């Protein structure tokens, strides 16, 4: 068992190499097809399913994994432009910690991750329809998270700006 854990952790990226600290772990793939130095990624991630029982939302963590994996494999961080559109029950995962604690009596385990995503060239939109349904106002959001009229509106606007949808 000890050998398996060592093998597992040795194949993961090293924590000091991560652009997004403590999140977004990935496997190194030395024999991958090389990515052109001038590649620019403009990708939107759609997250509708909220985290269970106050845990971190692993679908939001996918953005950190994308950033860390590509920066570690030679893509310039400024060439990675990600957007996150949250709706449905995930709209509660972008509540600022103070509001989250009032509602769920625990810390929002997504706040640190979202702040790091925002600091690493990502934009985060919450669906205004889902937010309103869940009694979430723009004042209650993590600083930097933007309220959109709807998730559909955010996706349409991002597509017009050249973003593609990540199918995962």
């Amino acid at each position: 068992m000890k050998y398996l854990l060592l093998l597992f952790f040795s194949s993961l990226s090293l924590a000091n190499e991560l652009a997004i600290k403590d999140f977004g772990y990935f496997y190194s793939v030395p024999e991958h097809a090389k990515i052109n130095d001038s590649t620019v990624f403009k990708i939107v991630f759609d997250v509708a399913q909220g985290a269970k029982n106050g845990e971190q939302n692993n679908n939001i963590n996918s953005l950190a994994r994308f950033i860390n994996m590509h920066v570690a494999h030679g893509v310039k961080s400024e060439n990675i432009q990600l957007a996150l559109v949250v709706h449905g029950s995930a709209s509660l995962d972008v509540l600022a910690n103070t509001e989250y604690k009032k509602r769920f009596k625990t810390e929002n385990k997504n706040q640190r991750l979202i702040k790091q995503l925002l600091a690493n060239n990502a934009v985060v939109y919450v669906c205004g329809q889902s937010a309103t349904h869940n009694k979430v106002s723009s004042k209650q959001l993590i600083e930097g998270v933007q309220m959109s009229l709807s998730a559909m509106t955010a996706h349409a606007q991002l597509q017009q700006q050249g973003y593609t949808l990540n199918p995962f």
Side-chain angles (χ1 to χ4, degrees):
M1 180 67 169
K2 186 176 181 181
Y3 173 75
L4 288 175
L5 285 174
L6 180 61
L7 183 61
F8 174 75
F9 286 113
S10 68
S11 65
L12 288 175
S13 63
L14 299 174
N16 61 356
E17 295 175 10
L18 301 177
I20 309 286
K21 304 289 184 207
D22 301 322
F23 301 100
Y25 294 109
F26 63 93
Y27 291 100
S28 180
V29 181
E31 61 278 343
H32 72 282
K34 297 301 174 203
I35 301 168
N36 186 309
D37 288 349
S38 62
T39 298
V40 174
F41 290 106
K42 288 184 81 171
I43 302 171
V44 61
F45 290 68
D46 182 271
V47 177
Q49 187 69 33
K52 301 286 185 215
N53 304 319
E55 294 300 315
Q56 176 200 322
N57 190 320
N58 284 326
N59 293 317
I60 296 173
N61 189 44
S62 292
L63 283 83
R65 184 170 39 261
F66 190 94
I67 292 169
N68 286 342
M69 174 173 47
H70 287 89
V71 167
H73 285 88
V75 177
K76 297 174 195 162
S77 60
E78 60 269 16
N79 287 356
I80 301 172
Q81 301 169 29
L82 303 184
L84 170 62
V85 176
V86 296
H87 56 101
S89 59
S91 61
L92 298 169
D93 292 340
V94 295
L95 283 169
N97 215 21
T98 52
E99 183 62 29
Y100 197 90
K101 278 181 178 178
K102 286 180 197 174
R103 292 186 190 209
F104 303 109
K105 311 295 186 242
T106 188
E107 302 279 327
N108 183 350
K109 293 183 177 75
N110 299 292
Q111 183 164 307
R112 240 178 79 239
L113 169 58
I114 290 169
K115 284 185 174 197
Q116 285 191 67
L117 290 171
L118 291 166
N120 279 275
N121 209 25
V123 292
V124 180
Y125 295 98
V126 63
C127 170
Q129 303 301 302
S130 297
T132 300
H133 176 77
N134 287 300
K135 296 177 180 36
V136 173
S137 74
S138 59
K139 295 175 189 170
Q140 298 169 321
L141 299 173
I142 296 167
E143 187 177 339
V145 174
Q146 301 174 54
M147 181 81 69
S148 179
L149 175 61
S150 70
M152 296 180 285
T153 305
H155 279 290
Q157 291 177 311
L158 289 163
Q159 186 176 15
Q160 290 169 2
Q161 295 170 30
Y163 283 80
T164 58
L165 179 65
N166 182 345
F168 300 102

